[in-house]
């Protein structure tokens, strides 16, 4: 195994198994953002291959060294489905669903985090930079620092970080904070998330915090400064623009409108099937608009794409049942022979089909109850090369901090959500254009490549500063 000067540590490798047992590149912004950096630095990526059981040797894919971390069926059940997605996920998303605290889950989480840390420590060259990704691996930074004090360590938290009153419920709160503070730079989606983290550190660990710097006492009596800052993630904007310009994608958008009976307006929701996304609130508001007579199925159709997610976790099984019951009731009450109220699609689609949907949709509904960022909002904006369309955006999504020209809503306020949908449906083309041009400028200037450059430049500056202090 070759040593690497730049190492990414993430729950998943950037590849999936293909139909013939080989590998193909995974879709996703993180993979796209880091590909140029990986190539320049002869980088390595440490992660789980996505299938339980079986040891895989490191291998090279598309110029990047991949270091698989094996997980057993029990690891997947306890570390991933349990601690990561039934404890941290609901706790960090403002307890929309109740988090569960099981010591056996925590023990598995520690064990698996150590396995990732050991794999990263083994592949990293002397003085390498290691970038750890997301809430499944919050203990890895400190484990890495103890094993390899020569490393420069970054961590990025892709989901929200909760207010202290919620975070303090966690029985292992000190261990998590200490784990994250092993990093030189801890990145968050929003300024508020970085602030929540710093407050938790002050309350729990009593460390001094100044601006974005957190003073972390070291075993030798010195102090190391870790930075906790916001670095809002984005998308590969240009790839969405290029796809939206393709004649076949534009033709597919026209086909979609035709297949829905050419309604005057198409509303669109695109989400993982998750309780954080506010899908029930969106359906309730839309159903009431039909009931009130403010919208009619002859004029307006809602397309809801809900890609499958965590299908073995009880809360997700229940959510799917509830949403499909709501869709059935709305369609039963309002469908006609020629028009459908809600076209519900419990499937994942390739990017070309999603861009065609974005082009076909007049209104994009992002009604998240809590979301670290919500890249779908940015994907919709990037795809609207005609400078038309309206983005209705929850103030509880990280994207709301950047996309100020969207129609902002509180998804818990069903009356306000209904009014926002009506305003979007009735918005004149000139106002759509003014708003969309501002949104598109923001998404073009702050793309995913700019995000990774900014984070890594901050990490490099931290490395130089720590070195000058030493």
């Amino acid at each position: 195994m070759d040593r690497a000067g730049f190492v990414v540590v993430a729950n998943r490798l950037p590849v999936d198994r293909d139909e013939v047992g080989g590998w193909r590149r995974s879709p996703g912004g993180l993979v796209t953002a880091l590909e140029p950096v990986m190539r320049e630095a002869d980088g390595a990526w440490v992660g789980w291959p996505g299938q339980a059981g079986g040891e895989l040797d490191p291998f090279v894919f598309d110029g990047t060294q991949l270091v698989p971390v094996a997980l057993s069926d029990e690891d997947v059940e306890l570390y991933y489905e349990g601690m990561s997605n039934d404890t941290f996920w609901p706790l960090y998303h403002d307890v929309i669903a109740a988090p569960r605290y099981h010591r056996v889950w925590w023990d598995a989480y520690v064990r698996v985090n150590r396995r990732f840390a050991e794999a990263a420590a083994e592949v990293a060259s002397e003085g390498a930079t290691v970038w750890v990704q997301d809430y499944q691996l919050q203990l890895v930074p400190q484990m890495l620092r103890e094993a390899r004090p020569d490393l420069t360590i970054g961590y990025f938290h892709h989901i929200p970080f909760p207010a202290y009153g919620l975070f303090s419920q966690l029985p292992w709160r000190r261990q998590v904070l200490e784990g994250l503070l092993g990093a030189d730079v801890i990145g968050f989606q929003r300024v508020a998330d970085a602030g929540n983290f710093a407050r938790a550190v002050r309350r729990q660990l009593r460390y001094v915090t100044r601006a974005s710097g957190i003073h972390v006492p070291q075993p030798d009596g010195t102090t190391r400064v870790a930075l906790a800052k916001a670095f809002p993630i984005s998308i590969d904007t240009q790839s969405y623009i290029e796809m939206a310009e393709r004649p076949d994608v534009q033709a597919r958008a026209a086909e979609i409108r035709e297949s829905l009976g050419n309604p005057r307006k198409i509303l669109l929701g695109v989400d993982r099937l998750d309780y954080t996304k506010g899908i029930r609130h969106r359906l309730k508001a839309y159903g009431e608009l039909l009931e009130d007579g403010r919208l009619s199925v002859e004029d307006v159709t809602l397309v809801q794409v809900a890609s499958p997610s965590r299908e073995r976790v009880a809360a997700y099984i229940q959510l799917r049942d509830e949403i499909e019951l709501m869709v059935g009731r709305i369609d039963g009450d309002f469908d006609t022979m020629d028009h459908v109220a809600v076209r519900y699609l419990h499937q994942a689609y390739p990017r070309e089909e999603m861009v065609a949907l974005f082009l076909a949709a007049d209104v994009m509904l992002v009604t998240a109850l809590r979301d670290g960022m919500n890249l779908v909002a940015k994907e919709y904006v990037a795809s609207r090369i005609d400078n038309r369309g309206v983005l209705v955006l929850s103030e509880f999504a990280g994207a709301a901090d950047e996309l100020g020209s969207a129609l902002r809503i509180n998804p818990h306020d069903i009356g306000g959500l209904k009014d926002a949908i009506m305003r979007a449906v009735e918005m004149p083309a000139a106002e759509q254009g003014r708003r969309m041009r501002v949104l598109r400028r923001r998404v073009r200037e702050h793309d995913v490549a700019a995000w990774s450059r900014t984070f890594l430049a901050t990490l490099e500056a931290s490395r130089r500063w720590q070195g000058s202090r030493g």
Side-chain angles (χ1 to χ4, degrees):
M1 181 166 61
D2 295 332
R3 293 293 187 98
F6 179 68
V7 180
V8 170
V9 189
N11 180 61
R12 284 294 302 272
L13 288 175
V15 291
D16 296 317
R17 282 285 188 195
D18 63 21
E19 293 79 12
V20 293
W23 299 99
R24 62 174 170 230
R25 188 172 131 172
S26 305
L30 184 64
V31 179
T32 304
L34 298 182
E35 185 184 27
V37 189
M38 302 295 274
R39 286 185 188 282
E40 285 169 27
D42 291 324
W45 189 304
V46 175
W48 175 46
Q51 294 171 321
E55 297 279 344
L56 281 174
D57 291 331
F59 62 98
V60 174
F61 178 87
D62 210 12
T64 297
Q65 186 179 184
L66 303 185
V67 182
V69 175
L71 297 183
S72 67
D73 285 322
E74 183 183 51
D75 292 332
V76 173
E77 181 187 348
L78 303 179
Y79 144 79
Y80 182 69
E81 293 176 346
M83 193 71 209
S84 295
N85 291 324
D86 218 357
T87 301
F88 285 124
W89 181 269
L91 179 65
Y92 286 16
H93 285 85
D94 291 356
V95 194
I96 295 165
R100 297 196 292 162
Y101 306 112
H102 294 303
R103 284 168 291 179
V104 67
W105 290 0
W106 172 254
D107 292 343
Y109 186 83
V110 174
R111 183 174 67 247
V112 171
N113 270 240
R114 190 164 303 284
R115 209 175 302 156
F116 276 86
E118 288 168 353
E122 189 176 344
V123 75
S125 60
E126 184 71 22
T129 294
V130 180
W131 194 1
V132 183
Q133 305 290 331
D134 221 3
Y135 66 105
Q136 300 96 342
L137 302 173
Q138 294 173 95
L139 306 182
V140 168
Q142 181 61 20
M143 291 173 172
L144 266 178
R145 184 161 297 282
E146 289 168 356
R148 293 284 306 275
D150 59 295
L151 299 175
T152 300
I153 303 167
Y155 171 89
F156 188 75
H157 197 75
H158 291 255
I159 68 173
F161 195 90
Y164 182 72
L166 294 175
F167 180 74
S168 62
Q169 293 181 19
L170 185 68
W172 309 281
R173 55 201 182 183
R174 290 182 68 90
Q175 293 96 311
V176 167
L177 294 175
E178 288 166 352
L180 293 173
L181 287 170
D184 297 291
V185 177
I186 305 128
F188 297 92
Q189 299 281 26
R190 308 179 85 163
V191 172
D193 295 324
N196 286 343
F197 174 74
R199 274 187 289 279
V201 168
R202 285 197 301 271
R203 294 283 295 273
Q204 267 302 309
L205 304 179
R206 307 293 182 192
Y207 293 171
V208 174
T209 64
R210 292 199 184 98
S212 58
I214 298 172
H215 295 253
V216 185
Q218 299 301 288
D220 63 1
T222 61
T223 300
R224 184 175 60 81
V225 177
L227 294 178
K229 295 182 67 174
F231 299 88
I233 199 170
S234 195
I235 61 169
D236 179 15
T237 308
Q238 190 57 35
S239 72
Y240 281 89
I241 292 171
E242 289 170 4
M243 205 168 285
E245 289 171 341
R246 278 171 38 185
D248 60 320
V249 173
Q250 294 180 8
R252 177 63 187 140
E255 269 180 28
I256 289 169
R257 291 195 73 96
E258 182 76 31
S259 70
L260 294 169
N262 280 316
R264 188 170 64 87
K265 297 287 181 178
I266 295 174
L267 315 181
L268 176 63
V270 175
D271 312 87
R272 276 190 317 101
L273 189 61
D274 193 290
Y275 49 73
T276 63
K277 302 298 184 182
I279 301 171
R280 286 173 293 198
H281 299 63
R282 182 182 315 162
L283 289 169
K284 183 172 176 56
Y286 177 65
E288 286 189 11
L289 287 170
L290 292 173
E291 203 172 298
D292 299 344
R294 295 171 73 184
L295 292 179
S296 73
V297 289
E298 287 79 17
D299 285 339
V300 178
T301 293
L302 169 63
V303 177
Q304 176 61 57
V305 178
S307 58
S309 176
R310 299 169 191 162
E311 294 179 283
R312 300 200 308 184
V313 177
Y316 289 77
I317 296 168
Q318 181 184 344
L319 176 69
R320 181 179 179 183
D321 289 344
E322 290 176 8
I323 285 172
E324 292 180 356
L325 184 64
M326 289 182 77
V327 169
R329 282 183 175 159
I330 293 170
D331 283 346
D333 286 344
F334 298 104
D335 278 8
T336 68
M337 289 295 181
D338 301 313
H339 299 278
V340 62
V342 183
R343 177 65 59 83
Y344 173 74
L345 305 159
H346 181 58
Q347 301 159 47
Y349 289 94
R351 187 182 291 189
E352 286 89 346
E353 185 75 354
M354 294 315 305
V355 172
L357 266 171
F358 293 148
L359 288 173
D362 303 283
V363 179
M364 184 80 216
L365 298 175
V366 177
T367 57
L369 308 182
R370 191 78 165 92
D371 218 335
M373 176 52 61
N374 195 287
L375 295 179
V376 166
K378 295 185 175 184
E379 291 166 4
Y380 178 73
V381 168
S383 302
R384 295 308 306 210
I385 55 175
D386 59 354
N387 288 317
R388 291 294 179 269
V390 184
L391 174 62
V392 176
L393 179 59
S394 167
E395 64 191 64
F396 304 120
D401 289 358
E402 300 177 84
L403 304 182
S405 293
L407 293 184
R408 285 172 53 128
I409 52 102
N410 172 0
H412 299 283
D413 174 10
I414 300 299
L417 176 54
K418 288 164 65 176
D419 290 342
I421 292 171
M422 290 307 301
R423 187 176 169 196
V425 165
E426 294 167 353
M427 186 178 290
E431 185 182 349
Q432 290 181 38
R434 281 196 303 275
R435 289 173 177 273
M436 190 55 74
R437 276 189 286 272
V438 175
L439 294 172
R440 286 176 56 73
R441 190 179 313 124
R442 173 74 195 190
V443 172
R444 275 198 305 268
E445 290 172 359
H446 298 270
D447 65 0
V448 74
W451 167 77
S452 62
R453 276 197 310 272
T454 304
F455 185 95
L456 292 171
T458 305
L459 190 55
E460 173 61 18
S462 170
R463 184 189 67 77
R464 288 198 303 269
W465 186 78
Q466 302 282 6
S468 67
R469 290 180 82 221

